[in-house]
Amino acid sequence: MITTGGGTGTGDGTERSEGSPDAVVTLYQELRRRGVSSLGEVGAQLRLSPEEYERCRGELTDLGLIVPTNPAQHGARAELRAGLREGEGGRQPEGDGDTVAVIDPEIALLRLLHREREQLREHLDEADRAYGTLETLAGAFLRAGSLTRSDADVELLSDYRRIQQVLEDITDVIQHSLASMHPTSLVREVAERVLSRDRRQIENGVRVRAMYSERVVSVPEVAELLRRRVETGVEVRITPAVPMTMIIADAQFAMVPVDPAEPMAGAVLARGPALVRSYIALYEHCWHTASPYGDGTTPEQGGDGLSEQQRAALTMLASGMKDEKIARGLGVSLRTVSRMLSELMQEMGATSRFEAGVRAHRLGWVD
């Protein structure tokens, strides 16, 4: 008699296992005792419900503990699962697909491990093929390490979204160094995003350097951001004049504006040491003439970094003059005035002309 723990007798020497959590074990033990036998017949004798029978059969099949004895179906688990449905009283009608042989647990375990190992090998082969394909397609464009000293490529970027995407891509492949210079402030960027990127790169062993024009340090928001960047580990320096916005990564990528006088005109992305070396030389010259931020060299507020033209433009703006009148007063084009005021407003973190005038007075940039 097979004991299932809580089952009821069937009167024929076996126990009913319906609803028992050990039904799978009970069914397997009975099948193993009999050897090759009808799965449906044993299930009926154990009084398994149709649902319980299907569950037990599925688990034993998935574990490889039973296989059909028909050679054409041997090991075909899907066909075993799709065998004849239960008849009345839970008994399976006899047929080739209903007769199963029991497999020892040790053998089933070895087969299961072998199957999992084969599947893992297939996944690794697929990953290797995908990596090879991507490496071939990327070529000299995505992998900095694939560029040789003779490789050189230039791409003109006019769409702002494309520029941002390229910057993100470059950030992802940086391995050694990131150097940047900024003639204007970064107050329009989300500070936490900048700091998060800094932390990620520094944790990966990347040396991060940044240069700013000394007049933007007078803006409280910029000063706070720079202080936090320094605390994160970024090397920050300030200089009286920054020639243009520039970003250099791993001596392999350099991004500069198409026209330094028109920051919104687009950007140029240079790839390859043959092109980037010249930008590195310019950057290193500016870096060695700049002063470390936080060493007491921060200029006092008062607009020391402003040119006479910029100071005059701010004074006229604060007095309420329109751009056309400011342009006539300075003897420059309206386009030049618009660009100049836009840059100054960005540096001060002002969102309107009125706010720019108020901040210019507060910072001591105008009388």
Side-chain angles (χ1 to χ4, degrees):
M1 180 180 295
I2 299 176
T3 303
T4 61
T8 58
T10 63
D12 57 359
T14 61
E15 284 285 323
R16 179 181 178 182
S17 303
E18 183 176 0
S20 169
D22 299 325
V24 175
V25 176
T26 302
L27 178 59
Y28 175 75
Q29 290 175 338
E30 180 63 15
L31 288 171
R32 189 169 184 179
R33 184 181 68 81
R34 297 188 183 197
V36 176
S37 57
S38 169
L39 181 64
E41 179 180 338
V42 175
Q45 290 182 356
L46 294 177
R47 288 195 170 183
L48 297 177
S49 67
E51 295 79 10
E52 192 76 359
Y53 172 83
E54 287 295 335
R55 183 183 68 82
C56 294
R57 183 176 70 168
E59 290 190 23
L60 292 176
T61 302
D62 288 340
L63 293 173
L65 292 172
I66 59 174
V67 293
T69 57
N70 188 330
Q73 295 180 331
H74 188 75
R77 297 178 181 177
E79 293 184 22
L80 181 61
R81 280 179 170 274
L84 299 177
R85 295 295 179 184
E86 295 81 354
E88 183 177 355
R91 179 184 295 275
Q92 289 275 6
E94 293 187 2
D96 291 341
D98 185 52
T99 304
V100 298
V102 179
I103 306 300
D104 288 340
E106 295 84 357
I107 300 300
L109 177 60
L110 291 175
R111 288 178 175 175
L112 179 62
L113 292 176
H114 177 74
R115 185 174 69 253
E116 294 297 329
R117 186 165 54 248
E118 289 298 320
Q119 292 178 352
L120 178 60
R121 185 177 295 112
E122 291 178 3
H123 289 318
L124 291 176
D125 290 341
E126 291 178 2
D128 287 340
R129 287 193 295 270
Y131 179 84
T133 301
L134 288 173
E135 187 176 32
T136 301
L137 293 175
F141 293 96
L142 296 182
R143 297 182 65 246
S146 68
L147 292 172
T148 64
R149 296 182 65 84
S150 61
D151 287 333
D153 180 76
V154 175
E155 182 179 357
L156 180 63
L157 307 173
S158 57
D159 184 78
Y160 176 78
R161 291 169 297 181
R162 170 65 176 154
I163 295 174
Q164 293 302 309
Q165 183 60 55
V166 169
L167 288 175
E168 291 294 332
D169 293 341
I170 292 176
T171 300
D172 289 340
V173 301
I174 290 176
Q175 299 177 0
H176 307 293
S177 63
L178 174 64
S180 62
M181 61 169 61
H182 310 275
T184 59
S185 66
L186 296 177
V187 294
R188 292 183 182 272
E189 286 198 54
V190 179
E192 293 304 323
R193 181 179 179 183
V194 175
L195 295 169
S196 176
R197 185 170 58 226
D198 289 340
R199 284 190 291 268
R200 183 173 68 251
Q201 292 171 345
I202 291 173
E203 288 173 359
N204 291 333
V206 176
R207 182 190 183 191
V208 183
R209 294 186 292 169
M211 266 189 293
Y212 295 88
S213 171
E214 63 182 18
R215 68 171 179 263
V216 307
V217 185
S218 300
V219 181
E221 295 90 336
V222 179
E224 174 63 15
L225 175 60
L226 299 191
R227 183 189 65 79
R228 296 181 65 185
R229 295 194 74 184
V230 170
E231 290 180 350
T232 302
V234 178
E235 299 175 45
V236 177
R237 291 193 178 187
I238 56 174
T239 181
V242 175
M244 69 181 78
T245 300
M246 182 185 299
I247 298 174
I248 303 175
D250 280 346
Q252 297 285 352
F253 300 93
M255 181 177 287
V256 296
V258 172
D259 181 359
E262 295 290 341
M264 302 305 295
V268 174
L269 175 64
R271 301 183 180 91
L275 292 176
V276 177
R277 278 194 296 267
S278 297
Y279 294 115
I280 293 177
L282 173 60
Y283 187 90
E284 294 298 340
H285 171 76
C286 295
W287 179 260
H288 289 299
T289 58
S291 303
Y293 180 74
D295 287 357
T297 56
T298 303
E300 296 181 358
Q301 294 186 3
D304 292 343
L306 293 177
S307 67
E308 291 301 321
Q309 187 182 64
Q310 290 171 324
R311 193 189 314 279
L314 272 178
T315 300
M316 288 185 276
L317 173 67
S319 66
M321 288 187 182
K322 300 293 186 181
D323 289 2
E324 294 82 357
K325 191 170 182 180
I326 295 175
R328 289 195 298 271
L330 295 177
V332 297
S333 67
L334 178 61
R335 181 181 180 186
T336 299
V337 169
S338 297
R339 174 182 57 81
M340 185 189 311
L341 294 179
S342 177
E343 291 178 354
L344 290 171
M345 289 174 62
Q346 183 177 1
E347 291 170 12
M348 290 185 291
T351 58
S352 66
R353 296 168 62 90
F354 176 78
E355 183 181 1
V358 172
R359 291 202 173 199
H361 277 294
R362 184 182 303 163
L363 294 171
W365 289 7
V366 296
D367 297 329

